[in-house]
Amino acid sequence: MPTEKISQWQFMIIMSVSVLGTEIFNIAAFPAQFSKQDAWLSILIAPVTSIWCILVSTALAARYPKMTLIEYSRCILGKWFSLFVEAFYLCLLFVYTSVIAKVIVDLISLISHPLTPHVVLLLMLFAICGAAAWCGIGVIGRCGEMIFPIMVVIASLIFLLTIRDWNAIYLRPVAENGLVSILRGASVPSGWLGEVMLIAFLIPFMNQPKRARKASLYTTVIITLFMLKTVLECTLVEGPLVSEFPFPYAAVIRYISLGDVLERIDPVFLPIWVSVGFLKLATFLFVTCLCVSRMFKVENQRTLSLPVMLIIFIGTLWTMKSSSGMDAILRFYFYSFPIASFIGANLIPTMLLGIDWIRSNRRIVYDE
């Protein structure tokens, strides 16, 4: 049973950070591959899967209070069939966490430490994020309360400082390539928004679980606005070159200058965004350890934290050695990620809710 609790505000921050932590830097690159200058339209379509996930997950949480997805999947499917669901989410969380760690290390290497071995950066990353995950979701929530407002201020400053470099011609013609390209461009952003599936693990830690649905929907609005703002900034500044940058938003920040007085202000802004990435990794590490503990019915998940983090660390190293630069990550985001996200965020929860609803109706009929 969860002992530590987080407030509605902390829950919203954790969920916002869990989506925006690393994606904010390359969110513009992926929809631009298909929808070009209409990438912002793809962002407007992407939240559909997130809203679907929230409605279904909160309905399940209301039916099975104080339980995570792992626990109520056993109640609905039984001990043996639920193993397939548990194994899927465990694999999904391991892969997601490894990819997040790799992206953060690549970003740090690109913007500030190009000569530092990636293994050293990864060790430091896991030391910090692992400590936060071991301390628990309450510590992550309090860290988010400090960092998130600063992130909002920094994002607002970047928005204002890039206005002078906007070129509206980069947004025209609107919908030139048709609806199909816009829908294809929405696949990766919708996958990222599907990461709100974490609510299925975090709702039991809320001090007011009944407000989870409203808080999650507000969070989706916040995330979508951040994504829309970022994609528009990148498109208006970089134009057709957006898809050429691995981290378009970082390139926009580096482009900012205040005449001849102040240039290269990215060392001031980028560390804040990197710290948000740290919070995201800490959250995923915590949820992965939680998932493992619930699978093996271990009350204190801290006892499993070290071996779980060690396996994820090895997986991240394997990902780094088996790929050249960002190639493997790009392939993952384009092909595997949208499908895996849809299954984890939408298909499985919908299946669980449908089966539970049918069983509940049958009980009512039999009782009558």
Side-chain angles (χ1 to χ4, degrees):
M1 295 295 291
T3 55
E4 53 185 340
K5 298 293 182 179
I6 55 176
S7 65
Q8 180 180 349
W9 172 240
Q10 289 174 332
F11 175 80
M12 291 173 63
I13 289 175
I14 290 171
M15 293 309 305
S16 298
V17 166
S18 297
V19 178
L20 296 172
T22 51
E23 283 74 5
I24 200 70
F25 285 102
N26 51 15
I27 181 62
F30 293 101
Q33 296 284 342
F34 301 106
S35 49
K36 308 301 180 183
Q37 72 275 10
D38 296 319
W40 64 277
L41 292 175
S42 297
I43 299 299
L44 294 177
I45 297 173
V48 173
T49 54
S50 174
I51 295 171
W52 177 4
C53 174
I54 290 167
L55 296 177
V56 174
S57 297
T58 51
L60 284 166
R63 287 169 174 260
Y64 296 92
K66 299 181 181 181
M67 288 188 184
T68 64
L69 186 148
I70 299 299
E71 292 163 309
Y72 58 66
S73 68
R74 289 177 181 172
C75 297
I76 297 172
L77 299 177
K79 180 180 178 180
W80 298 108
F81 286 107
S82 68
L83 288 175
F84 295 100
V85 173
E86 295 169 21
F88 174 81
Y89 280 103
L90 183 60
C91 293
L92 190 67
L93 287 169
F94 269 104
V95 172
Y96 275 15
T97 310
S98 298
V99 170
I100 291 165
K102 174 174 169 51
V103 171
I104 294 174
V105 168
D106 286 342
L107 181 62
I108 295 173
S109 177
L110 175 68
I111 65 178
S112 59
H113 294 79
L115 301 180
T116 305
H118 281 194
V119 177
V120 176
L121 295 175
L122 192 63
L123 281 170
M124 296 173 64
L125 179 65
F126 269 81
I128 298 171
C129 299
W134 186 86
C135 290
I137 195 66
V139 171
I140 297 173
R142 288 189 289 274
C143 291
E145 283 184 304
M146 293 185 292
I147 294 176
F148 188 76
I150 302 174
M151 184 193 82
V152 173
V153 172
I154 294 297
S156 301
L157 287 175
I158 293 171
F159 178 83
L160 295 174
L161 292 174
T162 56
I163 289 177
R164 61 191 293 271
D165 298 309
W166 289 1
N167 189 347
I169 198 172
Y170 289 146
L171 294 178
R172 299 197 296 265
V174 178
E176 179 186 21
N177 299 308
L179 181 61
V180 174
S181 64
I182 295 173
L183 292 174
R184 291 182 66 190
S187 61
V188 177
S190 67
W192 276 323
L193 280 159
E195 290 177 354
V196 298
M197 69 177 182
L198 293 182
I199 65 175
F201 297 91
L202 296 182
I203 288 178
F205 292 89
M206 291 185 68
N207 56 14
Q208 294 178 305
K210 292 182 179 179
R211 297 186 177 181
R213 175 171 291 183
K214 183 185 292 185
S216 301
L217 292 173
Y218 284 154
T219 302
T220 298
V221 173
I222 293 170
I223 294 169
T224 304
L225 290 176
F226 259 97
M227 286 185 169
L228 182 62
K229 179 192 80 70
T230 304
V231 169
L232 284 173
E233 283 175 334
C234 294
T235 305
L236 288 167
V237 173
E238 297 166 346
L241 296 177
V242 170
S243 58
E244 303 298 325
F245 293 107
F247 300 108
Y249 194 54
V252 167
I253 296 174
R254 283 188 166 185
Y255 191 78
I256 294 173
S257 65
L258 301 176
D260 297 328
V261 179
L262 188 62
E263 294 184 354
R264 291 300 304 273
I265 60 176
D266 49 292
V268 179
F269 291 158
L270 288 175
I272 301 299
W273 285 107
V274 173
S275 65
V276 175
F278 277 44
L279 281 178
K280 172 170 183 169
L281 180 59
T283 303
F284 270 85
L285 285 172
F286 172 82
V287 172
T288 304
C289 294
L290 178 67
C291 179
V292 174
S293 68
R294 293 301 183 266
M295 283 182 65
F296 295 100
K297 298 182 179 179
V298 177
E299 284 296 324
N300 189 356
Q301 68 186 63
R302 290 178 177 175
T303 58
L304 298 172
S305 296
L306 187 59
V308 169
M309 292 178 192
L310 181 61
I311 294 172
I312 296 173
F313 179 83
I314 295 171
T316 308
L317 283 179
W318 177 81
T319 303
M320 290 177 173
K321 291 180 180 180
S322 64
S323 63
S324 174
M326 292 288 291
D327 290 345
I329 301 298
L330 292 175
R331 289 196 297 272
F332 170 75
Y333 277 140
F334 275 125
Y335 302 109
S336 306
F337 177 65
I339 298 173
S341 178
F342 176 78
I343 294 173
N346 302 117
L347 186 61
I348 292 178
T350 303
M351 177 195 70
L352 292 175
L353 182 61
I355 293 173
D356 190 58
W357 181 80
I358 292 172
R359 289 175 59 187
S360 299
N361 285 349
R362 284 182 176 177
R363 289 195 202 102
I364 295 171
V365 171
Y366 291 151
D367 291 340
E368 291 177 350

